[in-house]
Amino acid sequence: MRAMSQSLHSEVADRLREHIFAGELPPGTFLDEVALCERLQISRTPLREALKVLTAEGLLRHEPRRGCFVNEVTEQDLDEIFPVIALLEGRCAYEAARQVNDADLRALAVLHERLEQHARARQIPEYYAANYAIHEALIQLANNRWLAQVISDLRKILKLARLQSLQATGRIEQSLSEHLAVFAALKARDPEGAEAAMRTHLLRQRDALRDLARQHKSSLLA
């Protein structure tokens, strides 16, 4: 019975996470427990356990006597998160460069060719997908479950922010160049070079997002 309960609340957490990432539960949304129980056809217990999971992940915030709300990611949050994730993914690139073999490089070459094709065609959703696949491949090559876990947790927060850095002028070309620099270091089996290039890539993404925010603010004031 206990295992079944744990499985149910995990399933509920997955469904709520999907609704949040799809924008169906936007930042600031109050989660009405009664309505959610009816909608998901579950009791309060698995729902509340699921809410605890998402609160621990940072996707929700709990306010005493008010309940749970979908978290809102601020510019300060992004300023604090990006240097951390740059360090962590930089370390993944470092470890990947130490362990990469010829077969791994061939697989990465295919992903980078796909990335270049999408950049040239300005296919932004497809570029994001290829970009994600490359980051995931490096995390797997690093073969450090603790790094992978912390990066996954931070990525959920960044995903909550629904970031679109490639909308910044020239960003897609810059991003591609940064990825190719990481790949060149991997091919050279240069751990320090791969780490530095990956950190640069993540920090420049934050710069692009900051520029977009400034442009948006200026357009509202115009």
Side-chain angles (χ1 to χ4, degrees), residues 8-212:
L8 180 56
H9 91 249
S10 295
E11 180 183 333
V12 173
D14 289 341
R15 291 177 66 182
L16 290 176
R17 201 181 288 113
E18 288 171 6
H19 290 315
I20 291 169
F21 290 154
E24 297 165 14
L25 293 171
T29 300
F30 168 66
L31 297 187
D32 184 327
E33 292 188 15
V34 174
L36 283 172
C37 285
E38 292 177 358
R39 177 178 174 183
L40 301 174
Q41 297 185 321
I42 57 172
S43 67
R44 282 282 184 96
T45 298
L47 176 63
R48 287 180 172 171
E49 290 301 314
L51 296 180
K52 288 178 184 177
V53 170
L54 298 185
T55 300
E57 290 178 358
L59 298 181
L60 303 179
R61 71 177 187 275
H62 180 265
E63 298 186 8
R65 296 183 296 280
R66 293 192 66 199
C68 284
F69 296 78
V70 179
N71 232 337
E72 298 167 277
V73 181
T74 66
E75 289 294 310
Q76 182 176 343
D77 290 329
L78 297 179
D79 284 339
E80 293 172 355
I81 290 170
F82 267 95
V84 176
I85 201 166
L87 284 170
L88 295 170
E89 292 214 40
R91 185 64 191 185
C92 279
Y94 179 96
E95 295 294 345
R98 292 179 60 196
Q99 302 185 61
V100 70
N101 60 38
D102 290 342
D104 298 325
L105 289 172
R106 286 193 293 272
L108 286 169
V110 172
L111 292 176
H112 282 82
E113 287 168 10
R114 195 176 302 160
L115 196 74
E116 289 188 77
Q117 291 169 2
H118 296 320
R120 284 196 298 270
R122 303 201 66 79
Q123 298 169 323
I124 290 180
E126 292 82 0
Y127 184 95
Y128 274 123
N131 171 78
Y132 180 81
I134 289 169
H135 282 265
E136 280 295 295
L138 295 187
I139 290 169
Q140 290 181 19
L141 282 172
N143 194 30
N144 183 319
R145 66 189 178 97
W146 301 108
L147 267 177
Q149 180 177 315
V150 179
I151 290 170
S152 176
D153 290 343
L154 288 176
R155 277 184 173 179
K156 288 171 185 171
I157 305 300
L158 294 179
K159 194 171 182 180
L160 179 64
R162 302 178 69 79
L163 305 175
Q164 296 290 326
S165 64
L166 294 182
Q167 301 296 336
T169 303
R171 178 57 193 157
I172 194 166
E173 293 82 7
Q174 186 185 54
S175 173
L176 175 61
S177 175
E178 293 157 11
H179 267 292
L180 293 177
V182 175
F183 188 38
L186 290 170
K187 289 188 285 186
R189 270 77 168 186
D190 176 7
E192 288 83 5
E195 180 175 29
M198 180 59 79
R199 288 175 64 178
T200 295
H201 172 55
L202 270 298
L203 293 175
R204 285 184 179 169
Q205 183 180 344
R206 176 63 188 122
D207 291 340
L209 290 166
R210 197 178 288 112
D211 289 342
L212 275 178

